[in-house]
Amino acid sequence: MPADKHTYLQIHPADNVLVALTNLAAGTPIVFNGQTFNLLTPVEVKHKFTITALEPEAPIHMYGVLVGKASQYIARGTALTVDNIKHASDDFKLGKRKTEWTVPAVTESYRDKTFMGFHRADGSVGTANYWLVIPLVFCENRNINVLKEALSAKLGFAKPRGYESEVDSLVEMYQSGKTAAEILNADLQLSPEGQSPKKLFENIDGIKFLNHDMGCGGTRTDSDALCGLLAGYITHPNVAGATVLSLGCQHAQATILQTEIQKRDPNFSKPLVMLEQQKIGTESKLLHEALKQTFTGLMEANKQQRQPAPLSKLCIGLECGGSDGFSGISANPTLGYLSDILVGLGGSVVLAEFPELCGVEQELSDRCVDETEAMKFMDLMRTYNARAEAGGSGFYANPSPGNIRDGLITDAIKSAGAAKKGGTSPVTDVLDYPEKITKPGLNLLCTPGSDVESTTAEVASGANVVLFTTGLGTPTGNPVAPVIKVATNTAVFNRMPDIMDINCGTIIEGEETIEQSATRMLDYVIEVASGRKQPKAVILGQDDFIPWKRGVSL
């Protein structure tokens, strides 16, 4: 009897494993390519099982590429685990250009659509309008926090406070003599959300404070990269202006930051406040000056208003985190199809997380528009992996315990699915961290696989919206770019509705095609980019910001 189409799946015709779309018991009959066999072991949902017997060192293919090798004999119908397979991926070299691709037909229906954005002097368009307050070195973090306490609530940018009433209940129980057991068993009622205070500056979405732990004590390469990253945020289309606090003696000098700003925007004209504590003197003088200049800067920034902009002005960051065995089947291909639509419209997308491109280097390098970009991509991949191996963890160590638990048991399996976010269009540019995106089309950006570091970098490079797929659930956001959280499966979408925006589990369940899911998602992106809808990460104030440390402390 044929198996239900929602029971298991072969992703690519060249694959010698199938993916379980539901929990499968040992003994379940599998009908595939005209043959029937029974599962010898249980296979959990999202995990894989063999369709032929595999001898030790036999290759394992998924998505049409090598993703591992058998570490022992594996009988047909056996679940793949960390005990019977090991990471393996094909080598790569400079090949022929393969830049032919087909623009999705649905692209034409979006040709005349627009979003409401903030037009900047350099020609970019923001999906939001923020003011930044940034320390050049960690020594200024306390002063940044003082400014946050002083400005956020008074100007109407503070998020409604929560959980204070729950703490009041705990205090009351303690004072009334309740035991620890009684307190632990108590049902704390979630306090209703308070009203957001009215904003003084209606056209400003918020003030964002980007604390970090860098700027001095590490390598000069890292402090220079930090200045490039911060310059990327200051010149970002979602940013109206910035206040920068410098101590004065640190590696990350204000002059380096200014040079990086000029590299990204030679005609930079946004309001920019630069204050150095060691020159000004007392903390109170520094903070009074920061408050006055920031306030007048906000007055200027508030003059900006949303205006129509073509979808070609969108630059979308493609990110995944807390990935599972469905990521490469549902949510990531949806992002890939959306990417192809946007590229067809003249927009930009950026695919990062280089450790999660391991095993698909040949395909991506062949898709580069010229050999120079192909060589740059391959060199970055080899150099990055070599540095990781020198530190004791090559790309093979990328999958997290959560990834492995949910079916991504080698880095190449994870990578082959992660790369689907980039769609099928040619690679127009390859960027090293923290370079700026300057070309439309698919850009590759060298970043870690770490969610927050990668998202932080994509936004610094110019992404004005981020699409973030997750199968396990992660609350990651960004201070200036809206991060739209995309669930790979319906279970996590229903279990964590407070952080999820879009469900792609409909694809697994056969209710929706990848194409339908992608157009539904693009419609939502347009609403978010226009300020008409806010994703959960924005509502929650999930302002994650972590610069990438590539060097070591000195």
Side-chain angles (χ1 to χ4, degrees), residues 101 103-104 106-107 110-111 115 310-318 335-350 425 440-442 464-465 467 522 525-526:
W101 73 296
V103 178
V106 73
T107 302
Y110 286 92
R111 189 70 63 183
F115 71 98
L311 299 189
S312 60
K313 292 297 184 179
L314 289 176
C315 179
I316 294 184
L318 307 169
L335 265 61
Y337 197 84
L338 184 151
S339 296
D340 285 348
I341 295 173
L342 191 61
V343 170
L345 294 169
S348 304
V349 295
V350 54
S425 69
L442 173 60
N464 52 12
V465 176
L467 290 172
L522 182 52
V525 168
I526 294 170

Side-chain angles (χ1 to χ4, degrees), residues 180-379:
E182 288 173 320
I183 291 174
L184 290 173
N185 287 322
D187 184 15
L188 293 180
Q189 297 298 318
L190 185 65
S191 59
E193 288 191 10
Q195 289 285 329
S196 295
K198 181 176 175 57
K199 292 190 298 183
L200 178 64
F201 300 110
E202 286 299 321
N203 294 324
I204 298 176
D205 291 290
I207 307 176
K208 298 297 182 176
F209 303 83
L210 308 187
N211 282 0
H212 57 82
D213 63 354
M214 295 180 64
C216 202
T219 65
R220 296 300 174 96
T221 301
D222 274 348
S223 59
D224 288 349
L226 173 67
C227 289
L229 183 84
L230 297 179
Y233 274 77
I234 292 169
T235 59
H236 193 279
N238 290 6
V239 172
T243 300
V244 180
L245 298 190
S246 169
L247 179 61
C249 57
Q250 73 277 350
H251 288 343
Q253 287 287 297
T255 53
I256 302 174
L257 176 63
Q258 290 168 331
T259 298
E260 292 292 337
I261 290 173
Q262 290 298 310
K263 280 168 56 176
R264 288 160 175 77
D265 184 0
N267 299 310
F268 181 78
S269 59
K270 294 178 182 178
L272 179 62
V273 179
M274 300 272 285
L275 300 173
E276 187 170 301
Q277 185 172 3
Q278 289 172 343
K279 282 185 179 179
I280 291 175
T282 67
E283 180 184 283
S284 63
K285 286 183 180 180
L286 172 74
L287 294 175
H288 286 167
E289 195 63 28
L291 287 170
K292 289 186 294 182
Q293 293 200 38
T294 298
F295 193 88
T296 55
L298 289 166
M299 293 167 58
E300 182 67 23
N302 193 51
K303 297 175 182 178
Q304 295 277 343
Q305 294 187 14
R306 290 184 183 269
Q307 301 291 334
L311 299 189
S312 60
K313 292 297 184 179
L314 289 176
C315 179
I316 294 184
L318 307 169
E319 188 68 32
C320 57
S323 300
D324 70 348
F326 285 165
S327 294
I329 302 172
S330 62
N332 290 350
T334 297
L335 265 61
Y337 197 84
L338 184 151
S339 296
D340 285 348
I341 295 173
L342 191 61
V343 170
L345 294 169
S348 304
V349 295
V350 54
L351 181 65
E353 301 178 288
F354 272 27
E356 296 177 12
L357 300 179
C358 174
V360 294
E361 296 97 337
Q362 191 65 59
E363 177 205 341
L364 289 173
S365 63
D366 289 349
R367 283 167 55 188
C368 289
V369 292
D370 57 49
E371 292 186 354
T372 300
E373 299 303 324
M375 287 300 299
K376 182 177 181 180
F377 171 62
M378 292 188 291
D379 288 345

Side-chain angles (χ1 to χ4, degrees), residues 123-142:
S124 64
V125 179
T127 62
N129 197 36
Y130 288 105
W131 186 276
L132 297 183
V133 182
I134 303 175
L136 260 182
V137 61
F138 56 82
C139 306
E140 290 298 322
N141 280 345
R142 178 187 175 278

Side-chain angles (χ1 to χ4, degrees), residues 23-268:
N23 289 325
L24 301 175
T28 299
I30 303 298
V31 180
F32 182 73
N33 279 353
Q35 297 185 8
T36 301
F37 61 91
N38 294 335
L39 288 181
L40 299 181
T41 64
V43 184
E44 293 184 12
V45 62
K46 308 176 189 178
H47 285 258
K48 293 81 185 167
F49 59 91
T50 56
I51 56 178
T52 61
L54 298 176
E55 297 292 334
E57 299 299 319
I60 297 167
H61 290 91
M62 280 186 66
Y63 302 95
V65 299
L66 178 67
V67 296
K69 290 186 177 181
S71 57
Q72 61 188 46
Y73 175 77
I74 309 175
R76 182 170 69 169
T78 301
L80 300 184
T81 70
V82 291
D83 297 319
N84 59 21
I85 75 167
K86 59 185 178 182
H87 169 79
S89 61
D90 281 324
D91 197 8
F92 51 95
K93 61 184 179 181
L94 187 65
K96 293 182 179 180
R97 302 299 91 219
K98 296 179 181 178
T99 56
E100 304 82 9
W101 73 296
T102 302
V103 178
V106 73
T107 302
E108 286 307 310
S109 66
Y110 286 92
R111 189 70 63 183
D112 297 325
K113 291 191 176 183
T114 61
F115 71 98
M116 299 295 290
F118 294 93
H119 292 247
R120 306 301 184 188
D122 63 356
S124 64
V125 179
T127 62
N129 197 36
Y130 288 105
W131 186 276
L132 297 183
V133 182
I134 303 175
L136 260 182
V137 61
F138 56 82
C139 306
E140 290 298 322
N141 280 345
R142 178 187 175 278
N143 289 331
I144 298 295
N145 290 336
V146 171
L147 292 175
K148 182 176 182 179
E149 291 174 3
L151 289 167
S152 295
K154 292 295 183 180
L155 299 184
F157 295 126
K159 295 290 180 182
R161 293 182 179 272
Y163 298 100
E164 281 85 353
S165 64
E166 286 88 336
V167 176
D168 288 340
S169 297
L170 293 171
V171 171
E172 183 180 339
M173 285 188 282
Y174 170 72
Q175 291 176 336
S176 65
K178 299 291 186 184
T179 65
E182 288 173 320
I183 291 174
L184 290 173
N185 287 322
D187 184 15
L188 293 180
Q189 297 298 318
L190 185 65
S191 59
E193 288 191 10
Q195 289 285 329
S196 295
K198 181 176 175 57
K199 292 190 298 183
L200 178 64
F201 300 110
E202 286 299 321
N203 294 324
I204 298 176
D205 291 290
I207 307 176
K208 298 297 182 176
F209 303 83
L210 308 187
N211 282 0
H212 57 82
D213 63 354
M214 295 180 64
C216 202
T219 65
R220 296 300 174 96
T221 301
D222 274 348
S223 59
D224 288 349
L226 173 67
C227 289
L229 183 84
L230 297 179
Y233 274 77
I234 292 169
T235 59
H236 193 279
N238 290 6
V239 172
T243 300
V244 180
L245 298 190
S246 169
L247 179 61
C249 57
Q250 73 277 350
H251 288 343
Q253 287 287 297
T255 53
I256 302 174
L257 176 63
Q258 290 168 331
T259 298
E260 292 292 337
I261 290 173
Q262 290 298 310
K263 280 168 56 176
R264 288 160 175 77
D265 184 0
N267 299 310
F268 181 78

